[in-house]
Amino acid sequence: MATFLSNPPAPDAKFGSALPWGNDQKGCEPLNPPQTAEALAMIIITRPDATEDQIEHIVSRIHDWGLRAEVSRGEMRVVIGVIGPEDKIREKPLGAFPGVESVTPVLKPYKLVSYEFRGTPSKVKIGNVVVGGKEVVLMAGPCSVENEDQIITIAQSIRKAGAKILRGGAFKPRTSPYSFQGLGKAGLQLLAEARREAGLPIITEVMDTKDLDLVSEYADCLQIGARNMQNFSLLREVGRTRLPVMLKRGMAASIKDLLMSAEYILSEGNFNVLLCERGIRTFETMTRNTLDLNAVPVLKAETHLPVVVDPTHGIGIRRFVPAMALAAVAAGADSIMIEVHNAPELAKSDGEQCLLPNEFADLVGRIRGVAEAIGREV
Ligand code: PEP
Ligand code: MN
């Protein structure tokens, strides 16, 4: 298991050590210009007896050559991912450094998100909550932020029940232009108030590049919704921030499409990315979507990024959400996102699929049981 967080504090010529660990996460330039089709990732694995000096020497040489290095520390070995133009990487004698055991190119179409690029799972920090470790992190809250009383009441109740992150949409992607579109900036301000009151970091959706600066002022984690999974300009823009980003799978997107979209974000330098399975469209009509739990073990094998499951949108029917949440934990999800509302009959969106606070509290106890059975905790 990894002992580092994403974007480890490796010395970086451009940013020093102030990278994504401080609170000063905003407004950073990308580490490198966007990668082109010729970009190649090479993986250097060091010998178990490689010294710190040898590792530092490799990293500083890679930087001198104008290439990028991502250092991941496993229990026995250090993996150094190298990224840059193919012709430039191929001409470098990467295997000749003392301390190197092997050098292999990443042959998959997704490179920075691929598991082998780090050789160990990544952890992403949202506020003071770490996703991707032993803990199965619970995110909960209403579909939309509606008013002060609603968001604060829900925030307090989910915190008491054991949730670690508060969700709530201020900018809502709705199928109909006549449906409630979210409170916008006022919704973000209410989320910030709920964060203060309940002491929970917040995740909220950004739908458009024009709103990114505003949403980034408030959010601890940006959510990219299913309908925007392939909004490539938005992906690149959130890749230029250092805020954590949860990327939801598009409803007609393959697992590979999801990984390729995440690659856009990482290629801009932001490694703080979570992937979210939220159900796909199939021929089935008895449920809102089909929650593809196959994606969980497949993603855990294919990528180092943490995996979140949203069973609420995945099945879309309140009384079936708990079963799918438990199944998602059993399948290996690092985090579960659940919609909770204190008055679902009055909810301005998704009232039919959200749990009541007491139903959520009951579910947390059962999730804990499943998590412990597979060696994890809540
Ligand atoms: C949501 O989380 O409220 C949401 C709109 O999700 P999705 O993008 O998965 O439909
Ligand atoms: Mn919703």
Side-chain angles (χ1 to χ4, degrees):
M1 196 51 124
T3 51
F4 60 89
L5 297 173
S6 282
N7 292 337
D12 185 280
K14 210 157 164 189
F15 292 108
S17 57
L19 255 176
W21 297 273
N23 293 328
D24 182 25
Q25 297 177 314
K26 294 162 194 164
C28 298
E29 290 298 313
L31 289 173
N32 264 1
Q35 301 304 322
T36 64
E38 295 84 47
L40 179 74
M42 200 70 97
I43 294 161
I44 301 175
I45 298 178
T46 61
R47 293 159 50 100
D49 59 358
T51 65
E52 273 309 309
D53 281 351
Q54 289 173 332
I55 292 162
E56 261 177 46
H57 176 62
I58 299 169
V59 171
S60 65
R61 248 326 122 75
I62 291 169
H63 286 159
D64 291 348
W65 289 330
L67 302 169
R68 179 163 138 209
E70 283 288 331
V71 182
S72 313
R73 290 169 191 278
E75 306 252 300
M76 294 287 290
R77 290 173 162 79
V78 173
V79 174
I80 305 167
V82 187
I83 181 102
E86 177 158 5
D87 50 347
K88 217 165 166 184
I89 292 191
R90 285 211 188 275
E91 76 193 18
K92 305 297 180 206
L94 298 174
F97 288 102
V100 170
E101 184 166 280
S102 66
V103 181
T104 354
V106 183
L107 297 174
K108 297 206 164 122
Y110 39 90
K111 299 180 186 299
L112 306 182
V113 305
S114 73
Y115 187 86
E116 54 270 47
F117 189 73
R118 294 206 103 142
T120 185
S122 290
K123 295 177 183 173
V124 173
K125 205 169 171 198
I126 300 175
N128 52 7
V129 179
V130 175
V131 185
K134 188 174 180 194
E135 180 181 359
V136 178
V137 173
L138 303 179
M139 307 184 186
C143 182
S144 307
V145 180
E146 295 165 13
N147 57 61
E148 186 180 19
D149 183 50
Q150 175 241 21
I151 191 66
I152 290 176
T153 306
I154 296 172
Q156 307 275 29
S157 70
I158 59 140
R159 181 185 45 81
K160 264 195 226 116
K164 297 290 167 64
I165 296 172
L166 173 67
R167 65 147 284 145
F171 291 91
K172 294 303 302 176
R174 304 306 300 280
T175 302
S176 165
Y178 309 117
S179 301
F180 177 62
Q181 305 285 309
L183 296 178
K185 183 172 180 179
L188 296 172
Q189 288 166 335
L190 292 176
L191 276 171
E193 199 182 324
R195 167 173 51 200
R196 263 198 314 279
E197 292 290 320
L200 297 176
I202 54 183
I203 175 168
T204 194
E205 179 160 353
V206 57
M207 284 174 55
D208 194 311
T209 52
K210 75 174 168 37
D211 303 319
L212 180 57
D213 284 348
L214 174 68
V215 178
S216 300
E217 268 177 51
Y218 293 89
D220 297 296
C221 182
L222 300 167
Q223 175 172 321
I224 306 277
R227 293 155 191 81
N228 263 324
M229 190 204 81
Q230 288 188 317
N231 180 339
F232 299 118
S233 45
L234 182 59
L235 298 178
R236 283 202 193 280
E237 286 294 325
V238 299
R240 291 181 185 127
T241 75
R242 290 298 174 271
L243 276 175
V245 178
M246 185 179 83
L247 178 63
K248 297 188 88 172
R249 180 178 179 182
M251 51 190 100
S254 66
I255 295 171
K256 187 170 160 191
D257 293 336
L258 174 61
L259 290 166
M260 294 308 295
S261 286
E263 187 80 12
Y264 269 84
I265 305 174
L266 274 73
S267 74
E268 293 291 339
N270 188 355
F271 273 61
N272 296 310
V273 174
L274 313 158
L275 301 177
C276 179
E277 165 57 40
R278 50 76 73 203
I280 50 175
R281 283 263 165 93
T282 66
F283 52 79
E284 184 52 69
T285 56
M286 300 277 276
T287 54
R288 180 177 179 184
N289 289 296
T290 297
L291 186 66
D292 179 18
L293 288 181
N294 291 352
V296 178
V298 172
L299 286 170
K300 292 300 293 177
E302 287 296 313
T303 176
H304 54 85
L305 299 174
V307 176
V308 185
V309 172
D310 168 357
T312 306
H313 293 87
I315 196 156
I317 303 165
R318 175 178 311 133
R319 70 193 163 106
F320 300 136
V321 168
M324 298 316 289
L326 296 172
V329 175
D334 297 300
S335 173
I336 305 288
M337 174 181 263
I338 309 253
E339 284 186 352
V340 174
H341 201 292
N342 54 342
E345 70 285 3
L346 301 177
K348 294 196 166 152
S349 58
D350 285 351
E352 63 294 339
Q353 64 183 20
C354 54
L355 299 187
L356 285 156
N358 66 320
E359 292 171 330
F360 176 69
D362 175 65
L363 176 59
V364 174
R366 297 165 69 202
I367 286 178
R368 187 168 288 123
V370 175
E372 283 168 6
I374 58 164
R376 300 190 74 163
E377 60 191 30
V378 168

